[in-house]
């Protein structure tokens, strides 16, 4: 079975978490999607790039989620989510996926 790139997993977690929360009107459900994707990405980051890189990328993932909230007040919710997901995908690719 082919491994899904961590860039796609991380970006999908941010986008999917927001989408699920918005469409179901159940924020905890969106948070669960965000957390499951984040945990899956963290495990892959650990395997691909080591513990230090995994810790930094996990912190970036959490910061992207948190940062999307104030950014949304300036540019709108979906643009903010897509923006932070893109930044997280790029960071994930550069640190973990590019090597493999």
């Amino acid at each position: 079975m082919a491994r899904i790139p961590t860039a796609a997993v991380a970006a999908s977690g941010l986008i999917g978490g927001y989408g699920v929360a918005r469409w179901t009107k159940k924020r905890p459900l969106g948070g669960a999607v965000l957390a499951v994707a984040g945990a899956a990405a963290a495990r892959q980051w650990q395997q691909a790039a080591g513990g230090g890189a995994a810790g930094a990328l996990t912190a970036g993932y959490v910061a992207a989620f948190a940062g999307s909230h104030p950014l949304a007040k300036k540019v709108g919710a979906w643009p903010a989510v897509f923006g932070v997901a893109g930044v997280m995908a790029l960071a994930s690719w550069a640190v973990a996926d590019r090597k493999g």
Side-chain angles (χ1 to χ4, degrees), residues 18-34:
Y18 175 69
V20 167
R22 180 174 176 143
W23 289 314
T24 65
K25 303 205 185 323
K26 295 184 177 157
R27 292 178 69 160
L29 188 56
V33 170
L34 180 80

Side-chain angles (χ1 to χ4, degrees), residues 52-89:
L57 287 167
T58 301
Y61 185 79
V62 172
F65 166 70
S68 69
H69 291 82
L71 183 59
K73 292 180 181 180
K74 296 184 184 294
V75 299
W78 279 113
V81 170
F82 285 129
V84 299
V87 169
M88 194 63 232

